[in-house]
């Protein structure tokens, strides 16, 4: 990471003295202007924060025109103090350009380093690159060379339809396609300074460029030796143009750093995807069909994979077991613990499901013996749909919510500690009977925590969302679950990455 102070004061003579291990006075004497100023060569300065300072002069630095001959005593004469071509002025101008460029790179890499997700990082790379090369639009194609994905395309100043048009161009005719299809790992750019005037331009590419209104492009691979090739970035110009040598150098430095950052995010993204996939596979692929009750479930997994579960399993004599729960922690270990507990609970429910307290007591003993460092919350309900009778017990879990035409209320349950918190867990069970057409909603605490409200306000928000279910969807438990989820977690909070898993299980009794 670049670490450059916000304000830099450069003393040319002191810098030259320090570089050559001599006093300032000796340096002034040795480097006094002799002969023509343009014959002087600027010293080679050391690398700063890993960036080689031997780069072309800044684009904004223009060599001074030769002044008209003047008397030696004239202040404007070559070699006179303050003359435009004085060696000190040239060096200081060049140093000012380097400092400006390094400061810009520092700010851009700092902004990129603050991104924690791949999509945000790709958008940041496009914005920073566009600022460095002077373009207005662009796209980045993520296509890791190992073929493991994820493959995606992100645009800057391009709508989804525009990206679709670009993707209709044959791959070999596009800049990013040629970069991604290279067999070597060179970092050479693909430059088209005047795209529409090229004789060998693909007809479809010409048509798309004219339609979208770009006339030039500059493309760079997102590749390093360590990370391999991850993709390619392309910036588009509205008029024939190309970046100057200075701009190419700066954007090359930036993309090399960006590639390393993207490689780290790619590893995290793949780990998150695996955790989510494993967690989903450990949950029921589909809910059972049981006479007298309709079921629906909604599950949102956090980026690292969490330990929330739900289950519905048919039991003897037409009964039904419903359960939700949550294991402390996150990541692969929490997912594995969740899978073990859910599988054990299914076995206990088949053997003694009519007694929910016994089921949770057995689960608590198993947790204490096999997972001594963990705790868990759980709720198990034994349902008899034909009689519309439910007996449930909870261990540190939020109470179910009954949603009907004439009432919307929480079921009164006894307070109890989570599993694994006490030497011996036991709490009384609760029995209640839903009316025909009523829906019982059981859920995990992640639904409340994701809202960001204190728990009392989160419960009030949940109750208001359930009470506001439209009449037109009260016969559909899935629609009820969706309404509650989107109302309690508005503005995409239900889909946003969060450390909190969310589980809702809705059962509508006929």
């Amino acid at each position: 990471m670049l670490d450059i102070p916000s304000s830099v004061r450069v003393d040319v003579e002191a810098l030259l003295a320090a570089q050559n291990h001599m006093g300032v006075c000796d340096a002034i004497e040795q480097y006094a202007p002799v002969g023509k100023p343009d014959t002087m060569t600027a010293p080679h300065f050391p690398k700063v924060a890993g960036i080689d300072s031997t780069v072309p002069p800044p684009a904004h630095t223009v060599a001074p025109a030769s002044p008209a001959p003047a008397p030696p005593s004239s202040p404007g004469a070559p070699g006179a103090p303050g003359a435009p071509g004085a060696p000190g002025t040239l060096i200081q101008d060049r140093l000012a350009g380097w400092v400006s460029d390094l400061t810009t790179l520092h700010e851009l890499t700092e902004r990129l380093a603050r991104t924690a997700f791949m999509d945000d990082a790709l958008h940041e790379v496009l914005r920073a690159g566009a600022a460095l090369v002077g373009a207005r639009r662009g796209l980045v194609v993520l296509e890791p060379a190992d073929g493991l994905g994820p493959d995606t395309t992100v645009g800057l100043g391009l709508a989804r339809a525009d990206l679709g048009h670009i993707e209709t161009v044959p791959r070999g005719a596009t800049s990013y396609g040629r970069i991604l299809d290279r067999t070597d790992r060179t970092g050479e750019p693909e430059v088209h300074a005047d795209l529409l005037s090229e004789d060998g331009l693909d007809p479809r590419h010409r048509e798309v460029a004219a339609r979208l209104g770009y006339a030039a492009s500059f493309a760079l691979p997102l590749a390093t030796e360590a990370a391999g090739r991850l993709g390619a970035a392309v910036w588009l110009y509205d008029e024939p143009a190309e970046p100057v040598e200075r701009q190419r150098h700066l954007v090359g430095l930036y993309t090399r750093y960006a590639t390393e950052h993207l490689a780290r995010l790619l590893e995290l993204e793949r780990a998150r995807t695996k955790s989510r996939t494993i967690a989903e596979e450990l949950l029921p692929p589909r809910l059972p069909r049981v006479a007298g009750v309709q079921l629906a479930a909604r599950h949102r997994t956090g980026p690292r994979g969490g330990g929330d579960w739900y289950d519905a399993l048919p039991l003897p004599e037409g009964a039904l077991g419903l359960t939700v729960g949550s294991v402390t922690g996150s990541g692969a270990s929490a997912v594995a613990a969740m899978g073990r507990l859910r599988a054990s609970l299914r076995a206990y429910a088949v053997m003694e499901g009519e007694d929910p307290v016994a089921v949770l007591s057995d689960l608590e003993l198993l947790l204490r013996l096999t997972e001594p460092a963990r705790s868990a919350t759980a709720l198990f309900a034994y349902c008899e749909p034909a009689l519309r009778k439910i007996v449930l017990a909870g261990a540190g879990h939020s109470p179910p919510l009954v949603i009907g035409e004439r009432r919307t209320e929480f079921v009164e349950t006894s307070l109890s500690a989570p599993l694994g918190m006490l030497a011996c867990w036991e709490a009384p069970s609760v029995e209640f009977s839903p009316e025909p057409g009523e829906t019982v909603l059981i859920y995990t605490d992640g639904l409340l925590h994701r809202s960001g409200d204190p728990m009392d306000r989160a419960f009030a928000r949940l109750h208001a969302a359930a009470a506001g279910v439209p009449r037109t969807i009260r016969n559909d438990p899935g629609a009820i679950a969706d309404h509650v989820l989107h109302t309690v977690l508005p503005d995409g909070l239900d889909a946003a990455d969060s450390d909190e898993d969310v589980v809702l299980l809705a059962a509508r009794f006929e």
Side-chain angles (χ1 to χ4, degrees):
M1 190 63 56
L2 303 176
D3 186 13
I4 300 170
S6 59
S7 60
V8 179
R9 180 176 178 271
V10 179
D11 189 316
V12 177
E13 289 79 12
L15 181 60
L16 296 176
Q19 187 176 4
N20 293 277
H21 307 288
M22 62 179 68
V24 174
C25 295
D26 295 334
I28 295 174
E29 180 179 354
Q30 177 169 335
Y31 290 94
V34 178
K36 295 182 180 180
D38 54 338
T39 61
M40 177 179 178
T41 302
H44 175 77
F45 298 102
K47 287 186 177 181
V48 179
I51 296 183
D52 192 353
S53 58
T54 56
V55 293
H60 52 73
T61 302
V62 180
S66 300
S73 59
S74 172
T89 303
L90 291 175
I91 295 174
Q92 197 161 8
D93 191 20
R94 181 169 295 184
L95 285 174
W98 287 339
V99 170
S100 175
D101 292 338
L102 290 171
T103 303
T104 300
L105 285 176
H106 171 68
E107 294 174 353
L108 293 177
T109 53
E110 281 288 324
R111 288 169 53 181
L112 180 62
R114 287 194 290 268
T115 59
F117 298 96
M118 181 63 73
D119 191 64
D120 295 337
L122 294 176
H123 280 94
E124 181 59 37
V125 168
L126 277 177
R127 286 191 291 267
L132 289 173
V133 302
R136 188 174 63 89
R137 293 180 291 174
L139 69 152
V140 60
V141 180
L142 185 68
E143 189 178 303
D146 58 13
L148 300 179
D151 296 348
T152 185
T153 301
V154 175
L156 172 68
L158 297 171
R160 187 178 297 272
D162 298 334
L163 293 176
H165 286 306
I166 293 175
E167 290 175 350
T168 62
V169 179
R171 181 183 176 96
T174 61
S175 298
Y176 67 84
R178 285 190 289 270
I179 288 175
L180 295 175
D181 292 340
R182 289 176 183 169
T183 57
D184 57 1
R185 294 187 178 180
T186 60
E188 295 299 321
E190 285 276 341
V191 185
H192 297 275
D194 192 354
L195 197 65
L196 299 179
S197 66
E198 294 182 4
D199 295 334
L201 187 64
D202 182 84
R204 178 57 183 167
H205 195 178
R206 186 184 303 276
E207 178 184 348
V208 169
R211 180 170 186 168
L212 301 184
Y214 63 88
S217 67
F218 178 76
L220 275 177
L222 298 175
T224 63
E225 286 296 327
R229 186 160 55 245
L230 302 184
V234 186
W235 291 278
L236 306 175
Y237 296 88
D238 297 340
E239 302 292 339
E242 64 177 301
V244 298
E245 187 178 0
R246 187 74 178 184
Q247 292 173 315
R248 295 190 190 190
H249 183 80
L250 291 176
V251 77
L253 292 173
Y254 178 80
T255 54
R256 283 198 290 275
Y257 172 83
T259 301
E260 297 293 340
H261 183 69
L262 292 175
R264 292 189 290 270
L265 292 182
L266 181 62
E267 292 181 6
L268 290 175
E269 186 74 19
R270 288 174 175 176
R272 290 167 181 161
T273 302
K274 289 178 182 178
S275 295
R276 284 194 294 264
T277 301
I278 293 173
E280 294 292 342
E281 290 297 324
L282 289 174
L283 296 175
R286 59 182 177 274
L287 296 173
R289 294 180 177 272
V290 177
V293 64
Q294 294 176 289
L295 300 174
R298 298 294 182 266
H299 183 215
R300 300 291 185 270
T301 306
R304 292 181 294 177
D308 286 18
W309 81 81
Y310 69 91
D311 205 350
L313 62 156
L315 297 175
E317 300 179 359
L320 175 69
L322 300 177
T323 178
V324 296
S326 177
V327 176
T328 56
S330 61
S333 61
V335 173
M338 176 269 286
R340 291 190 291 269
L341 286 183
R342 174 179 167 269
S344 301
L345 191 147
R346 290 175 68 92
Y348 299 147
V350 170
M351 293 186 293
E352 46 192 5
E354 68 280 359
D355 185 358
V357 173
V359 171
L360 293 186
S361 296
D362 292 342
L363 191 65
E364 193 275 338
L365 178 61
L366 176 71
L367 181 68
R368 189 152 39 88
L369 294 176
T370 61
E371 307 277 350
R374 291 190 185 278
S375 62
T377 63
L379 183 145
F380 179 75
Y382 178 79
C383 308
E384 296 180 76
L387 303 176
R388 292 195 303 279
K389 174 184 174 182
I390 299 177
V391 181
L392 65 87
H397 213 81
S398 300
L401 184 61
V402 179
I403 305 171
E405 293 288 342
R406 293 181 295 178
R407 63 171 176 170
T408 299
E409 61 186 23
F410 292 102
V411 178
E412 293 187 7
T413 57
S414 58
L415 295 175
S416 62
L419 302 177
M421 298 292 289
L422 300 177
C424 182
W425 177 90
E426 186 169 341
S429 60
V430 176
E431 180 178 326
F432 70 100
S433 298
E435 298 294 330
E438 289 187 334
T439 298
V440 177
L441 185 70
I442 57 179
Y443 50 92
T444 58
D445 292 343
L447 176 64
L448 306 174
H449 292 313
R450 272 207 192 195
S451 68
D453 293 332
M455 290 303 288
D456 56 342
R457 293 186 181 180
F459 274 114
R461 181 192 289 265
L462 174 59
H463 185 276
V469 173
R471 290 180 176 272
T472 55
I473 65 172
R474 286 183 178 268
N475 294 332
D476 184 353
I480 292 175
D482 288 333
H483 173 82
V484 170
L485 185 63
H486 297 152
T487 305
V488 176
L489 302 176
D491 302 325
L493 285 175
D494 61 316
D497 286 322
S498 169
D499 290 338
E500 299 287 347
D501 283 10
V502 176
V503 163
L504 288 89
L505 182 58
R508 181 182 181 276
F509 290 84
E510 300 174 354

